[in-house]
Amino acid sequence: MITSLATLSPLNPPDTYVGRFAPSPTGPLHFGSLVSALVSYLHARMHKGSWLVRMEDLDPPREQAGAADAILRCLDEHQLHWDGPVLYQSQRLSAYEEVLETLRNEDLLYACNCTRQDLQAMGGIYNGRCRNRTIDLDQPHAWRLKLYDLPPDYAALDQDVCFADLIQGEQRQNLRDTAGDQILKRKDDLFAYQLAVVVDDIAQQVTHIIRGNDLLEVTARQIFFFRLLGAAVPEFGHVPLVLNEQGQKLSKQNLAPPLDSTNAGNNLWHALQFLGQNPPLALIKASATDVLEWGKAHWHMSHLKPGNRAP
Ligand code: GLU
């Protein structure tokens, strides 16, 4: 059984609240990311908790030069000030490798050389094909985590994952049917988001993960991973997505316009309005500090509607 890893820290004392915002530096912040950052910030501050920023810079081919600094500057200009130093995932590679090693020793991980086409032929959910195949480790291969039919020591985790999302309500997922074994290290040798996000949320002792609703789908597999690593499972809340006129999630990929920090107060006002908080019209041209003060004093998570899911 995995009981303790040097990379994972002890549990929080009761009543501690640690929230976080974890952008990937693939481009500048847009209105949708501001909305997610703002909810996690306000919810943390309402609980007198801390709010961390973690830069998820694990995928250099997708990153944009200067984006990490631009994101931090933009948060700062919107008066969303974080606690403590920013954690950069690019500096955590040895921690990820250590967790992989432990999983390998526990027979929870296996090498896989299936291609994207193979996965497509399986209908998009990996069917465990490489679990019992011998893979040439001198050739490019990924490492996959077993999510079902686990070794005997872990059999208790072999069940549907249920959780109550703070915004989206009760959720239940069967990981064999909806997720399949997950890649933790890719064929191109990069660590996968699914590994790094959980290892770091544990290491940073995050208690509340409030983020965009596009990640609701992957939450059950992350909860499974928290349990597998013997860690406390945080609370999750998934914020409705901001959609563009074509009904797509605002994203860097579909070229959502970057936030203009000269309108920081106005951006925050619109974000609060989107979140159903009804900020007074008198504040529409106010400074970021004033709008945020109002937001902190009047924050009601319950005004948020479950809203749209990722298409
Ligand atoms: N880095 C991820 C993203 O920008 C978010 C990860 C998370 O909040 O769990 O989409």
Side-chain angles (χ1 to χ4, degrees):
M1 203 59 174
I2 298 172
T3 45
S4 71
L5 282 169
T7 41
L8 309 178
S9 325
L11 296 181
N12 280 309
D15 298 335
T16 311
Y17 184 114
V18 181
R20 51 71 158 177
F21 177 57
S24 305
T26 50
L29 283 190
H30 51 74
F31 184 69
S33 21
L34 177 69
V35 164
S36 296
L38 182 62
V39 181
S40 76
Y41 173 87
L42 290 175
H43 205 58
R45 294 302 184 227
M46 191 192 89
H47 286 89
K48 311 224 176 318
S50 43
W51 188 66
L52 312 177
V53 170
R54 182 170 71 230
M55 199 52 72
E56 303 212 317
D57 54 348
L58 265 190
D59 195 349
R62 286 187 57 229
E63 284 156 23
Q64 204 180 78
D69 287 347
I71 288 172
L72 296 178
R73 204 176 323 117
C74 186
L75 287 173
D76 209 42
E77 286 161 349
H78 284 78
Q79 307 303 317
L80 296 170
H81 303 305
W82 56 91
D83 298 305
V86 174
L87 183 74
Y88 288 82
Q89 291 194 321
S90 54
Q91 291 168 20
R92 298 265 303 146
L93 307 187
S94 57
Y96 307 144
E97 197 55 63
E98 187 190 341
V99 172
L100 280 190
E101 190 55 36
T102 306
L103 296 169
R104 224 178 265 124
N105 292 339
E106 295 289 313
D107 189 28
L108 290 161
L109 209 63
Y110 60 95
C112 167
N113 61 7
C114 290
T115 60
R116 214 171 283 233
Q117 288 79 355
D118 293 331
L119 184 64
Q120 250 167 25
M122 295 172 199
I125 303 218
Y126 192 70
N127 65 10
R129 182 169 163 228
C130 285
R131 277 186 177 222
N132 301 310
R133 289 168 80 212
T134 309
I135 304 297
D136 179 357
L137 296 182
D138 291 330
Q139 297 299 316
H141 59 277
W143 288 97
R144 277 192 194 268
L145 177 68
K146 297 179 183 173
L147 266 61
Y148 55 89
D149 292 351
L150 304 171
D153 277 357
Y154 298 91
L157 295 177
D158 225 332
Q159 51 176 295
D160 286 3
V161 175
C162 303
F163 66 101
D165 188 273
L166 294 171
I167 302 164
Q168 308 297 332
E170 294 295 330
Q171 310 289 322
R172 178 184 205 102
Q173 256 192 43
N174 179 287
L175 296 177
R176 182 200 298 256
D177 298 343
T178 59
D181 293 341
Q182 292 295 301
I183 290 187
L184 296 192
K185 194 171 192 190
R186 301 177 356 193
K187 250 188 208 173
D188 58 7
D189 244 16
L190 294 177
F191 291 104
Y193 156 71
Q194 301 296 354
L195 167 75
V197 71
V198 173
V199 170
D200 286 344
D201 282 328
I202 297 172
Q204 296 190 286
Q205 303 190 56
V206 171
T207 61
H208 288 72
I209 297 179
I210 314 284
R211 58 187 180 185
N213 205 13
D214 49 333
L215 292 165
L216 180 64
E217 198 54 35
V218 297
T219 301
R221 64 196 76 164
Q222 293 177 2
I223 288 177
F224 166 86
F225 198 21
F226 275 99
R227 291 186 180 141
L228 193 68
L229 295 175
V233 178
E235 298 280 343
F236 286 88
H238 287 88
V239 181
L241 300 177
V242 182
L243 304 180
N244 66 15
E245 278 158 17
Q246 288 77 45
Q248 303 156 320
K249 176 199 166 202
L250 286 194
S251 72
K252 295 152 196 164
Q253 288 73 25
N254 60 35
L255 304 179
L259 282 173
D260 173 5
S261 287
T262 58
N263 288 329
N266 188 256
N267 295 337
L268 288 166
W269 190 94
H270 283 285
L272 287 169
Q273 182 72 359
F274 174 83
L275 294 164
Q277 307 295 308
N278 258 326
L281 207 51
L283 284 181
I284 197 164
K285 293 207 168 91
S287 68
T289 308
D290 288 350
V291 179
L292 209 53
E293 276 311 311
W294 184 92
K296 280 194 255 187
H298 297 88
W299 175 246
H300 285 291
M301 187 75 130
S302 58
H303 292 181
L304 253 170
K305 300 285 165 278
N308 40 53
R309 293 177 80 118

